[in-house]
């Protein structure tokens, strides 16, 4: 049945996969590089088919209770005067902090799941009967299948599918997220300040006392170590350290002091296949649509649900299950990787572009277009398979 399944990565995709595999009678083991569950992260959306997944897991009431209660986003000038507001609407979707979602998933995925914290996969050796996994700290172990749920810079993908450069597509921007002074920004709003090719913002949840700082800047590919936080902080400091107005100095000071500082490219992962032999990928490791898509949590929850369900429906036959998983989830991934105007909305390239954005955002037409888009999404909504096994 291929019962022994190693999952590399304890985030949204990995924990969801572990939950469903254990529920279907498999024996999942989750290995996570961090010494415990990662509590940080930005706001994520549980929307579309992901709502069905968390409802079937029985945690939707808890997800709604943890919602950030953010009303929308506003754009300000250097004097902190509001130039435009965009209200966020969507009764079926829920935004919550990534750390809150991960905590709920972890609480749900404890029974029947083994966890190895503070370790990582360093080598994979496949044969006809299984995969020998060498860890950085623990001794080598044997598994029937291995699934990489270890993010944009996936070690599993590199070991099984080749160098990262084959699969990552740079989006022309970099993104940083960190703690900010709790007194900054307007409560329950995301406040954004733009200069050409740059954005700094303040995220104020209605249910969290801690404010968050956002930074986005345009750039070609940069050479840096994605595990060297000090180096990443220096990149952000340089990008915004030219005497920029508004609250940027205060936001930088808080962000650079935050040990949970996060930085990465707005990049996408594009692959012809998410499996090779007995190794598969799920979540950002397989199809990262970039944070600008707003679809990371939805794709992770739905993809993990499908992968576990297809393995169960196929009686553990990984060849059949991986093929069906790919075929069933590929359409949603392609749709969500079409980011559209999200980045141009947040980070106009020119001063003129920023003025046009602010003008359009003030028009009644803008929220109307959003309502039409949500209506179309509802009418064309895909259905979630019900795996009766």
């Amino acid at each position: 049945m291929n019962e022994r399944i190693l999952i590399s990565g304890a985030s949204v995709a990995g924990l969801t996969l572990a939950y469903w595999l254990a529920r279907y009678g498999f024996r999942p083991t989750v290995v996570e590089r961090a010494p415990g569950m990662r509590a940080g992260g930005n706001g994520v959306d549980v929307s579309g088919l992901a709502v069905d997944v968390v409802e079937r897991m029985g945690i939707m009431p808890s997800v709604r209770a943890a919602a950030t209660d953010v009303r929308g986003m506003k754009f300000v000038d250097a004097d902190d005067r509001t130039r435009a507001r965009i209200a966020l609407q969507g009764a079926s979707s829920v935004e919550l902090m990534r750390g809150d979602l991960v905590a709920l998933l972890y609480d749900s995925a404890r029974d029947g799941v083994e966890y190895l914290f503070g370790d990582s996969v360093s080598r994979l050796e496949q044969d006809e009967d299984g995969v020998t996994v060498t860890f950085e700290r623990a001794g080598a172990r044997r598994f029937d299948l291995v699934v990489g749920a270890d993010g944009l810079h996936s070690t599993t993908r590199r070991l099984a599918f080749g160098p990262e450069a084959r699969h990552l597509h740079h989006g022309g921007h970099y993104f940083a997220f960190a703690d900010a002074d709790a007194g900054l920004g307007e409560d329950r709003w995301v406040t954004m300040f733009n200069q050409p090719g740059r954005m700094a913002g303040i995220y104020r949840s209605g249910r969290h006392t801690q404010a968050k700082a956002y930074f986005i800047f345009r750039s070609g590919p940069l050479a840096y170590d994605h595990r060297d936080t000090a180096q990443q902080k220096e990149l952000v400091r340089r990008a915004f350290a030219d005497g920029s107005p508004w609250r940027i100095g205060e936001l930088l000071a808080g962000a650079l002091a935050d040990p949970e500082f996060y930085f990465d490219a707005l990049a996408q992962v594009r692959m012809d296949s998410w499996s090779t032999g007995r190794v598969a990928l799920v979540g950002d490791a397989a199809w990262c649509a970039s944070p600008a898509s707003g679809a990371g949590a939805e794709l992770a929850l739905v993809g993990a649900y499908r992968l576990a369900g297809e393995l169960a429906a196929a009686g553990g036959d990984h060849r059949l299950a991986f093929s069906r998983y790919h075929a069933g989830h590929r359409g949603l991934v392609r749709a969500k990787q079409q980011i559209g105007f999200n980045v141009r909305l947040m980070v106009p390239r020119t001063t003129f572009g920023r003025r046009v954005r602010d003008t359009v955002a003030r028009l009644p037409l803008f929220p109307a277009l959003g309502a039409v888009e949500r209506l179309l999404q509802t009418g064309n909504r895909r259905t979630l398979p019900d795996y009766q096994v």
Side-chain angles (χ1 to χ4, degrees):
M1 181 182 172
N2 288 329
E3 290 183 347
R4 299 167 301 169
I5 302 177
L6 176 69
I7 303 167
S8 178
S11 190
V12 176
L15 294 172
T16 304
L17 180 62
Y19 169 88
W20 287 105
L21 287 176
R23 181 165 170 173
Y24 292 139
F26 293 92
R27 294 159 52 196
T29 295
V30 178
V31 60
E32 167 56 47
R33 179 181 298 277
M37 296 307 303
R38 299 176 187 266
N42 59 330
V44 297
D45 292 322
V46 175
S47 58
L49 292 176
V51 174
D52 293 345
V53 174
V54 297
E55 284 180 343
R56 295 181 189 194
M57 295 176 72
I59 62 172
M60 194 62 197
S62 297
V63 167
R64 293 195 184 280
T68 59
D69 194 26
V70 170
R71 292 176 175 173
M73 64 180 68
K74 68 173 186 175
F75 305 103
V76 299
D77 62 17
D79 295 318
D80 208 30
R81 294 174 298 192
T82 300
R83 293 302 183 184
R85 290 181 186 262
I86 300 175
L88 300 179
Q89 302 175 7
S92 62
S93 64
V94 180
E95 183 185 47
L96 70 165
M97 303 307 289
R98 176 205 162 275
D100 292 340
L101 176 58
V102 165
L104 292 173
L105 293 171
Y106 179 55
D107 286 342
S108 299
R110 296 207 186 193
D111 293 342
V113 182
E114 177 190 14
Y115 287 90
L116 304 175
F117 288 106
D119 210 342
S120 180
V121 175
S122 62
R123 187 176 181 182
L124 299 172
E125 296 178 89
Q126 295 194 58
D127 56 44
E128 292 184 0
D129 300 318
V131 186
T132 299
V133 179
T134 302
F135 296 95
E136 290 183 354
R137 293 178 176 80
R141 290 176 58 178
R142 186 81 170 162
F143 295 91
D144 298 314
L145 304 172
V146 173
V147 180
D150 41 357
L152 179 66
H153 302 289
S154 169
T155 297
T156 309
R157 187 184 62 230
R158 176 177 56 80
L159 293 173
F161 295 84
E164 181 174 284
R166 294 182 185 174
H167 312 294
L168 249 62
H169 295 261
H170 185 61
H173 294 77
Y174 284 87
F175 166 82
F177 181 81
D179 282 350
D181 186 324
L184 296 176
E186 182 179 351
D187 190 37
R188 299 177 66 190
W189 285 86
V190 180
T191 304
M192 296 183 181
F193 171 73
N194 289 105
Q195 291 179 301
R198 300 189 302 186
M199 184 277 283
I202 306 168
Y203 185 104
R204 285 286 304 275
S205 164
R207 293 202 172 109
H208 298 79
T209 56
Q210 180 64 61
K212 298 291 183 178
Y214 281 96
F215 301 92
I216 302 177
F217 62 93
R218 292 179 60 85
S219 173
L222 299 173
Y224 68 97
D225 184 347
H226 70 268
R227 293 193 184 129
D228 187 339
T229 303
Q231 185 183 26
Q232 296 163 22
K233 288 181 178 181
E234 179 61 17
L235 291 173
V236 175
R237 188 193 66 78
R238 290 178 183 176
F240 288 89
D242 60 351
S244 299
W246 191 57
R247 302 281 193 173
I248 290 179
E250 296 169 83
L251 293 176
L252 269 179
L256 298 181
D258 183 6
E260 297 296 324
F261 176 94
Y262 175 85
F263 174 84
D264 217 324
L266 293 184
Q268 291 190 337
V269 174
R270 302 174 195 163
M271 304 182 69
D272 293 331
S273 176
W274 303 323
S275 64
T276 177
R278 290 178 171 269
V279 179
L281 302 173
V282 70
D284 282 353
W287 55 66
C288 180
S290 108
S293 71
E298 179 183 2
L299 290 175
L301 286 158
V302 176
Y305 171 84
R306 280 188 177 275
L307 176 54
E310 295 296 353
L311 281 167
D317 182 341
H318 63 284
R319 297 178 183 85
L320 178 59
F322 289 169
S323 176
R324 289 176 174 173
Y325 155 62
H326 187 277
H329 196 50
R330 173 63 78 179
L332 184 62
V333 169
R334 284 176 175 165
K336 298 301 182 180
Q337 285 189 332
Q338 303 302 312
I339 295 176
F341 65 87
N342 290 19
V343 176
R344 294 192 296 275
L345 174 72
M346 293 187 294
V347 194
R349 297 180 61 177
T350 65
T351 300
F352 176 74
R354 184 199 67 206
R355 291 171 179 165
V356 171
R357 187 274 316 277
D358 292 349
T359 300
V360 173
R362 288 194 293 265
L363 297 175
L365 176 64
F366 198 92
L369 289 174
V372 170
E373 182 180 1
R374 288 189 295 273
L375 181 61
L376 291 174
Q377 289 176 347
T378 301
N380 297 325
R381 189 178 180 188
R382 296 171 173 85
T383 57
L384 193 67
D386 187 6
Y387 298 103
Q388 299 291 342
V389 294

